[in-house]
Amino acid sequence: MKALFLIVIYLVAVALPLVLSAWVGGPPRQFHQELASGLGILAFSMILAEFILSGRFKSISNGVGMDVTMRFHQIMARTALAFALLHPFLYQGTPSGGLRPWDPTRELTITTEFSALSTGIAAYLLLPSLVVLAIGRKQLGYKYETWRLLHGIGAFLIAILLLHHTVSAGRYGSQPLMTWVWLVLTGVAAGSLLSVYLLVPFLQKKHPWRVTSVVQLTPKQWELIVQPEGHPGLDYRAGQFVWLNVGHSPFSMKENPFSVSSAPAAGPAISFMIKELGDFTRTVGQIRPGTLAYLDGPYGNLSVDDRTEPGVALIAGGVGLAPLRGILRQLRLTGDSRKVKLVYGNRRFDQIAYREELDAEGAVFVLSEPPDTWNGEKGFIDGSLMDRVFSEDEFREWVFVMCGPAIMMDIVENHLIERGTPSDRILSERFDYD
């Protein structure tokens, strides 16, 4: 229900400028020209809405899930890009004034004022670059912090350029009412950036944390534990994640999302299971106890709190164990009577984290490259393995929670649907979307 409500709010917000433009506009033009203006208006309003769909607003991402929020963010960004790229090519007719060297046929421009057109041209070139860089971030190999900074600056610059272009060159945007509407919407978008980059860090500075322990779990996985300093800690649900900043100012860009692997019932200390993958994670082992840290969260809705299913199935792949371990520990610490089964996949034996703890819980370990002495499950977490672990009744009645490689989650989700598991009983979380 909340997801439907948020979708309605989004559609109303995005369509509002279009509706108001039709109300205050002049005599109708040819259809293709009106379509061109409509696509431009929708593209701009969708771009401004992207600032809110960044995943850093709890009322959205915690309500519908980070997966849904970020996927919707990506789809709408690409839709806005398509509208924006098509928008100028639908203008045909004879604009006032003289010829422009980039438009000898007078088909593209609706004004000959270069100041009004230049900002639109700049945004037209910058927007696809921003989208392509976001899609190919990992392939291009630059640091996450660098990408995040460039992405934020680029998005803000596009918004300012489009604001000027819309109110200067647009037939509808130049109307006094629409000028104010665009100013307000752009202000809201800019305010969301200020909230993320200034207000939240300011509040974080008043609630610091200290690293109390850094322990190596496997050859490339670490457990990092932080303790609140001078405050009661974080109000979170098992399975959620936070943005973690260790050893830097809260105003720096050096923060990364990590799932919480501890349970709220265990006390105020929070633990993370971190795998060496990127620039920060490769240095986790060098962090010393006492190092200052900051947390922004909690985010996500990968939680089984308040659910009524008779059993909980936890499907983990690699470091995806982190939030599921938090859920498992919370269930045990609170004396929850629901049945629990944990399936945990890795490539090698030495990659299994918390092996003794999970073995005591009856976890099903799966190795794709097992040693010769291995007597457990071999291969991958797929449909046939799921059929061996879960019964028909469990497929129909339990809630399934998973976190791990995207391909694993896709395979498991598809098999669960085939076996009759309702979609609202399949919970998953991804940090990679392309």
Side-chain angles (χ1 to χ4, degrees), residues 95-174:
S96 59
L99 291 173
R100 290 295 175 180
W102 63 83
D103 185 22
T105 62
R106 298 185 177 187
E107 291 183 351
L108 301 183
T109 58
I110 60 172
T111 178
T112 59
E113 293 295 330
F114 181 74
S115 62
L117 295 173
S118 61
T119 49
I121 294 171
Y124 190 86
L125 297 174
L126 187 58
L127 180 58
S129 301
L130 191 73
V131 174
V132 170
L133 288 175
I135 294 174
R137 176 176 64 87
K138 289 192 173 182
Q139 290 80 354
L140 294 173
Y142 53 95
K143 294 182 178 180
Y144 169 78
E145 293 84 1
T146 303
W147 169 80
R148 185 184 168 202
L149 178 62
L150 292 177
H151 196 70
I153 293 174
F156 179 73
L157 182 57
I158 288 172
I160 297 302
L161 291 171
L162 288 178
L163 174 63
H164 178 268
H165 176 69
T166 299
V167 302
S168 301
R171 178 195 190 193
Y172 298 105
S174 60

Side-chain angles (χ1 to χ4, degrees), residues 57-350:
F57 294 92
K58 298 174 187 176
S59 59
I60 298 176
S61 59
N62 290 7
V64 299
M66 182 59 72
D67 273 11
V68 176
T69 302
M70 293 309 299
R71 177 54 73 186
F72 193 69
H73 172 76
Q74 288 184 321
I75 293 174
M76 292 301 101
R78 295 168 193 182
T79 304
L81 174 62
F83 288 173
L85 293 180
L86 184 60
H87 149 74
F89 291 97
L90 292 174
Y91 283 118
Q92 294 179 0
T94 305
S96 59
L99 291 173
R100 290 295 175 180
W102 63 83
D103 185 22
T105 62
R106 298 185 177 187
E107 291 183 351
L108 301 183
T109 58
I110 60 172
T111 178
T112 59
E113 293 295 330
F114 181 74
S115 62
L117 295 173
S118 61
T119 49
I121 294 171
Y124 190 86
L125 297 174
L126 187 58
L127 180 58
S129 301
L130 191 73
V131 174
V132 170
L133 288 175
I135 294 174
R137 176 176 64 87
K138 289 192 173 182
Q139 290 80 354
L140 294 173
Y142 53 95
K143 294 182 178 180
Y144 169 78
E145 293 84 1
T146 303
W147 169 80
R148 185 184 168 202
L149 178 62
L150 292 177
H151 196 70
I153 293 174
F156 179 73
L157 182 57
I158 288 172
I160 297 302
L161 291 171
L162 288 178
L163 174 63
H164 178 268
H165 176 69
T166 299
V167 302
S168 301
R171 178 195 190 193
Y172 298 105
S174 60
Q175 298 289 334
L177 173 62
M178 292 311 304
T179 297
W180 278 107
V181 169
W182 289 120
L183 283 170
V184 170
L185 293 178
T186 305
V188 171
S192 70
L193 277 185
L194 293 177
S195 173
V196 170
Y197 293 111
L198 293 179
L199 178 60
V200 170
F202 176 77
L203 297 175
Q204 286 179 332
K205 195 170 182 64
K206 296 182 177 181
H207 298 84
W209 297 70
R210 291 281 180 184
V211 175
T212 59
S213 173
V214 180
V215 177
Q216 190 167 19
L217 299 172
T218 71
K220 288 193 174 184
Q221 293 183 113
W222 299 79
E223 180 185 69
L224 183 145
I225 300 178
V226 296
Q227 187 83 23
E229 186 169 273
H231 60 94
L234 188 69
D235 183 14
Y236 70 100
R237 293 175 294 161
Q240 291 188 294
F241 73 93
V242 303
W243 291 79
L244 175 65
N245 176 340
V246 180
H248 301 283
S249 163
F251 295 95
S252 76
M253 294 288 177
K254 297 184 181 297
E255 60 174 0
N256 294 272
F258 293 105
S259 294
V260 177
S261 62
S262 54
I270 289 182
S271 66
F272 302 94
M273 178 181 170
I274 300 175
K275 183 177 181 179
E276 296 180 17
L277 291 172
D279 298 298
F280 165 70
T281 55
R282 279 194 286 264
T283 65
V284 171
Q286 302 172 21
I287 299 173
R288 295 290 174 261
T291 302
L292 201 62
Y294 297 98
L295 273 60
D296 175 24
Y299 293 97
N301 68 345
L302 195 72
S303 170
V304 298
D305 293 354
D306 303 322
R307 298 193 68 100
T308 59
E309 292 86 356
V312 179
L314 305 173
I315 316 298
V319 74
L321 172 68
L324 306 191
R325 176 178 178 258
I327 292 173
L328 177 61
R329 295 192 70 201
Q330 180 72 4
L331 292 173
R332 296 305 183 225
L333 289 171
T334 57
D336 197 295
S337 61
R338 284 175 287 182
K339 295 179 180 179
V340 182
K341 287 185 181 180
L342 170 65
V343 180
Y344 179 26
N346 282 286
R347 190 160 57 92
R348 301 192 312 268
F349 178 79
D350 63 359

Side-chain angles (χ1 to χ4, degrees), residues 39-51:
L39 290 178
I41 292 169
L42 284 175
F44 189 20
S45 60
M46 291 170 71
I47 289 169
L48 294 179
E50 289 294 282
F51 287 78

Side-chain angles (χ1 to χ4, degrees), residues 371-402:
D372 294 336
T373 57
W374 179 251
N375 294 319
E377 291 285 350
K378 302 175 183 179
F380 301 93
I381 300 177
D382 55 16
S384 60
L385 183 140
M386 295 288 289
D387 288 340
R388 291 195 297 273
V389 175
F390 299 100
S391 67
E392 291 284 349
D393 289 341
E394 289 167 347
F395 277 122
R396 289 193 305 269
E397 299 173 0
W398 285 25
V399 58
F400 287 77
V401 190
M402 66 191 76

